[in-house]
Short mmCIF file of all heavy atoms in Angstrom, two decimals:
data_model
loop_
_atom_site.label_atom_id
_atom_site.label_comp_id
_atom_site.label_asym_id
_atom_site.label_seq_id
_atom_site.Cartn_x
_atom_site.Cartn_y
_atom_site.Cartn_z
N ASN A 1302 -29.98 -40.91 -30.54
CA ASN A 1302 -31.09 -40.52 -31.35
C ASN A 1302 -32.04 -41.66 -31.73
O ASN A 1302 -32.91 -41.53 -32.58
CB ASN A 1302 -30.59 -39.78 -32.65
CG ASN A 1302 -30.10 -38.44 -32.31
OD1 ASN A 1302 -29.25 -38.22 -31.47
ND2 ASN A 1302 -30.57 -37.42 -33.06
N LEU A 1303 -31.85 -42.76 -31.08
CA LEU A 1303 -32.77 -43.91 -31.25
C LEU A 1303 -32.95 -44.30 -32.68
O LEU A 1303 -34.07 -44.46 -33.17
CB LEU A 1303 -34.15 -43.64 -30.59
CG LEU A 1303 -34.06 -43.38 -29.05
CD1 LEU A 1303 -35.40 -42.86 -28.53
CD2 LEU A 1303 -33.65 -44.63 -28.29
N VAL A 1304 -31.85 -44.45 -33.39
CA VAL A 1304 -31.90 -44.80 -34.81
C VAL A 1304 -32.28 -46.28 -34.93
O VAL A 1304 -31.88 -47.13 -34.13
CB VAL A 1304 -30.57 -44.43 -35.51
CG1 VAL A 1304 -30.54 -45.00 -36.94
CG2 VAL A 1304 -30.36 -42.94 -35.50
N THR A 1305 -32.98 -46.62 -35.98
CA THR A 1305 -33.53 -47.96 -36.20
C THR A 1305 -32.46 -49.07 -36.09
O THR A 1305 -31.29 -48.88 -36.54
CB THR A 1305 -34.15 -48.04 -37.62
OG1 THR A 1305 -34.51 -49.40 -37.88
CG2 THR A 1305 -33.23 -47.56 -38.70
N PRO A 1306 -32.84 -50.21 -35.54
CA PRO A 1306 -31.89 -51.33 -35.45
C PRO A 1306 -31.50 -51.88 -36.83
O PRO A 1306 -30.60 -52.71 -36.93
CB PRO A 1306 -32.68 -52.45 -34.68
CG PRO A 1306 -34.07 -51.94 -34.56
CD PRO A 1306 -34.12 -50.49 -34.85
N SER A 1307 -32.14 -51.38 -37.87
CA SER A 1307 -31.73 -51.80 -39.23
C SER A 1307 -30.31 -51.37 -39.56
O SER A 1307 -29.63 -51.99 -40.38
CB SER A 1307 -32.70 -51.21 -40.29
OG SER A 1307 -34.00 -51.77 -40.05
N VAL A 1308 -29.85 -50.27 -38.88
CA VAL A 1308 -28.44 -49.88 -39.12
C VAL A 1308 -27.49 -50.87 -38.45
O VAL A 1308 -26.47 -51.27 -39.08
CB VAL A 1308 -28.16 -48.47 -38.54
CG1 VAL A 1308 -26.69 -48.10 -38.75
CG2 VAL A 1308 -29.08 -47.40 -39.23
N LEU A 1309 -27.88 -51.40 -37.29
CA LEU A 1309 -27.09 -52.45 -36.67
C LEU A 1309 -27.12 -53.71 -37.58
O LEU A 1309 -26.06 -54.30 -37.79
CB LEU A 1309 -27.67 -52.78 -35.27
CG LEU A 1309 -26.98 -53.93 -34.56
CD1 LEU A 1309 -25.57 -53.57 -34.19
CD2 LEU A 1309 -27.74 -54.27 -33.24
N ALA A 1310 -28.27 -54.00 -38.13
CA ALA A 1310 -28.36 -55.18 -38.97
C ALA A 1310 -27.46 -55.01 -40.20
O ALA A 1310 -26.80 -55.97 -40.61
CB ALA A 1310 -29.84 -55.36 -39.46
N GLY A 1311 -27.40 -53.82 -40.74
CA GLY A 1311 -26.60 -53.53 -41.89
C GLY A 1311 -25.11 -53.76 -41.57
O GLY A 1311 -24.37 -54.42 -42.27
N VAL A 1312 -24.67 -53.14 -40.48
CA VAL A 1312 -23.28 -53.23 -40.12
C VAL A 1312 -22.88 -54.66 -39.80
O VAL A 1312 -21.84 -55.17 -40.25
CB VAL A 1312 -22.96 -52.31 -38.88
CG1 VAL A 1312 -21.57 -52.59 -38.33
CG2 VAL A 1312 -23.07 -50.85 -39.30
N LEU A 1313 -23.72 -55.35 -39.03
CA LEU A 1313 -23.43 -56.76 -38.74
C LEU A 1313 -23.53 -57.64 -39.97
O LEU A 1313 -22.67 -58.56 -40.22
CB LEU A 1313 -24.39 -57.31 -37.67
CG LEU A 1313 -24.29 -56.68 -36.30
CD1 LEU A 1313 -25.35 -57.30 -35.36
CD2 LEU A 1313 -22.88 -56.84 -35.70
N GLY A 1314 -24.44 -57.27 -40.89
CA GLY A 1314 -24.58 -57.96 -42.17
C GLY A 1314 -23.31 -57.90 -43.00
O GLY A 1314 -22.85 -58.88 -43.56
N VAL A 1315 -22.72 -56.72 -43.04
CA VAL A 1315 -21.52 -56.51 -43.81
C VAL A 1315 -20.38 -57.42 -43.23
O VAL A 1315 -19.67 -58.10 -43.96
CB VAL A 1315 -21.08 -55.00 -43.80
CG1 VAL A 1315 -19.67 -54.86 -44.36
CG2 VAL A 1315 -22.06 -54.18 -44.60
N HIS A 1316 -20.20 -57.37 -41.90
CA HIS A 1316 -19.13 -58.15 -41.33
C HIS A 1316 -19.35 -59.62 -41.44
O HIS A 1316 -18.45 -60.42 -41.64
CB HIS A 1316 -18.90 -57.76 -39.83
CG HIS A 1316 -18.32 -56.40 -39.65
ND1 HIS A 1316 -17.02 -56.11 -39.97
CD2 HIS A 1316 -18.82 -55.22 -39.27
CE1 HIS A 1316 -16.76 -54.91 -39.75
NE2 HIS A 1316 -17.87 -54.28 -39.29
N LEU A 1317 -20.66 -60.02 -41.35
CA LEU A 1317 -20.99 -61.44 -41.52
C LEU A 1317 -20.66 -61.90 -42.96
O LEU A 1317 -20.07 -62.93 -43.17
CB LEU A 1317 -22.52 -61.69 -41.23
CG LEU A 1317 -23.09 -63.03 -41.55
CD1 LEU A 1317 -22.45 -64.14 -40.67
CD2 LEU A 1317 -24.62 -63.06 -41.39
N ALA A 1318 -21.13 -61.10 -43.90
CA ALA A 1318 -20.88 -61.45 -45.33
C ALA A 1318 -19.38 -61.52 -45.63
O ALA A 1318 -18.96 -62.43 -46.29
CB ALA A 1318 -21.54 -60.37 -46.18
N LEU A 1319 -18.62 -60.59 -45.09
CA LEU A 1319 -17.18 -60.61 -45.31
C LEU A 1319 -16.52 -61.82 -44.69
O LEU A 1319 -15.63 -62.45 -45.28
CB LEU A 1319 -16.55 -59.33 -44.80
CG LEU A 1319 -16.85 -58.07 -45.60
CD1 LEU A 1319 -16.33 -56.83 -44.97
CD2 LEU A 1319 -16.32 -58.17 -47.08
N ALA A 1320 -16.98 -62.15 -43.47
CA ALA A 1320 -16.40 -63.34 -42.79
C ALA A 1320 -16.64 -64.58 -43.60
O ALA A 1320 -15.91 -65.58 -43.49
CB ALA A 1320 -16.98 -63.47 -41.39
N LEU A 1321 -17.73 -64.61 -44.35
CA LEU A 1321 -18.09 -65.82 -45.15
C LEU A 1321 -17.72 -65.68 -46.61
O LEU A 1321 -18.09 -66.52 -47.42
CB LEU A 1321 -19.57 -66.09 -44.98
CG LEU A 1321 -20.05 -66.48 -43.57
CD1 LEU A 1321 -21.54 -66.51 -43.41
CD2 LEU A 1321 -19.49 -67.92 -43.23
N GLY A 1322 -16.94 -64.62 -46.94
CA GLY A 1322 -16.60 -64.48 -48.32
C GLY A 1322 -17.66 -64.04 -49.30
O GLY A 1322 -17.52 -64.14 -50.47
N GLN A 1323 -18.78 -63.57 -48.76
CA GLN A 1323 -19.90 -63.11 -49.60
C GLN A 1323 -19.68 -61.57 -49.89
O GLN A 1323 -20.44 -60.72 -49.45
CB GLN A 1323 -21.22 -63.25 -48.86
CG GLN A 1323 -21.50 -64.67 -48.38
CD GLN A 1323 -22.05 -65.57 -49.54
OE1 GLN A 1323 -22.49 -64.97 -50.55
NE2 GLN A 1323 -22.03 -66.81 -49.35
N THR A 1324 -18.66 -61.32 -50.69
CA THR A 1324 -18.27 -59.91 -50.93
C THR A 1324 -19.37 -59.16 -51.68
O THR A 1324 -19.50 -57.97 -51.50
CB THR A 1324 -16.91 -59.84 -51.73
OG1 THR A 1324 -17.10 -60.69 -52.83
CG2 THR A 1324 -15.80 -60.34 -50.91
N GLY A 1325 -20.12 -59.83 -52.52
CA GLY A 1325 -21.21 -59.15 -53.27
C GLY A 1325 -22.26 -58.59 -52.36
O GLY A 1325 -22.70 -57.43 -52.44
N LEU A 1326 -22.64 -59.40 -51.37
CA LEU A 1326 -23.63 -58.98 -50.42
C LEU A 1326 -23.09 -57.81 -49.55
O LEU A 1326 -23.80 -56.81 -49.34
CB LEU A 1326 -24.06 -60.14 -49.51
CG LEU A 1326 -25.03 -59.76 -48.42
CD1 LEU A 1326 -26.34 -59.21 -48.97
CD2 LEU A 1326 -25.31 -60.95 -47.44
N ALA A 1327 -21.83 -57.98 -49.12
CA ALA A 1327 -21.23 -56.90 -48.35
C ALA A 1327 -21.26 -55.56 -49.11
O ALA A 1327 -21.66 -54.52 -48.55
CB ALA A 1327 -19.78 -57.24 -47.96
N ALA A 1328 -20.90 -55.67 -50.37
CA ALA A 1328 -20.87 -54.42 -51.17
C ALA A 1328 -22.30 -53.90 -51.35
O ALA A 1328 -22.52 -52.68 -51.36
CB ALA A 1328 -20.27 -54.74 -52.57
N GLY A 1329 -23.30 -54.80 -51.52
CA GLY A 1329 -24.64 -54.42 -51.69
C GLY A 1329 -25.17 -53.68 -50.46
O GLY A 1329 -25.89 -52.64 -50.58
N ILE A 1330 -24.84 -54.15 -49.27
CA ILE A 1330 -25.32 -53.46 -48.06
C ILE A 1330 -24.59 -52.09 -47.93
O ILE A 1330 -25.20 -51.11 -47.64
CB ILE A 1330 -25.08 -54.36 -46.82
CG1 ILE A 1330 -25.82 -55.68 -46.87
CG2 ILE A 1330 -25.47 -53.57 -45.54
CD1 ILE A 1330 -25.49 -56.65 -45.78
N MET A 1331 -23.30 -52.11 -48.11
CA MET A 1331 -22.55 -50.89 -47.94
C MET A 1331 -23.05 -49.79 -48.94
O MET A 1331 -23.06 -48.58 -48.58
CB MET A 1331 -21.03 -51.11 -48.14
CG MET A 1331 -20.41 -51.76 -46.91
SD MET A 1331 -18.59 -51.79 -46.95
CE MET A 1331 -18.30 -53.21 -47.94
N SER A 1332 -23.46 -50.19 -50.13
CA SER A 1332 -23.88 -49.24 -51.12
C SER A 1332 -25.32 -48.83 -50.90
O SER A 1332 -25.78 -47.86 -51.51
CB SER A 1332 -23.73 -49.81 -52.53
OG SER A 1332 -24.74 -50.83 -52.70
N GLY A 1333 -26.08 -49.53 -50.05
CA GLY A 1333 -27.46 -49.17 -49.80
C GLY A 1333 -28.44 -49.89 -50.71
O GLY A 1333 -29.64 -49.69 -50.63
N ARG A 1334 -27.88 -50.79 -51.59
CA ARG A 1334 -28.83 -51.47 -52.52
C ARG A 1334 -29.55 -52.57 -51.77
O ARG A 1334 -30.67 -52.94 -52.15
CB ARG A 1334 -28.01 -52.13 -53.67
CG ARG A 1334 -27.75 -51.20 -54.87
CD ARG A 1334 -26.96 -51.88 -55.92
NE ARG A 1334 -25.60 -52.13 -55.63
CZ ARG A 1334 -25.07 -53.31 -55.39
NH1 ARG A 1334 -25.79 -54.44 -55.53
NH2 ARG A 1334 -23.80 -53.45 -55.07
N VAL A 1335 -28.94 -53.09 -50.72
CA VAL A 1335 -29.55 -54.24 -49.98
C VAL A 1335 -29.92 -53.72 -48.57
O VAL A 1335 -29.08 -53.25 -47.87
CB VAL A 1335 -28.60 -55.41 -49.93
CG1 VAL A 1335 -29.23 -56.57 -49.07
CG2 VAL A 1335 -28.20 -55.91 -51.28
#
Side-chain angles (χ1 to χ4, degrees):
Chain A
N1302 286 52
L1303 299 171
V1304 172
T1305 173
S1307 295
V1308 178
L1309 177 64
V1312 169
L1313 295 179
V1315 169
H1316 288 289
L1317 172 65
L1319 289 173
L1321 292 168
Q1323 304 278 345
T1324 50
L1326 176 61
I1330 298 174
M1331 283 191 278
S1332 71
R1334 275 182 288 111
V1335 179

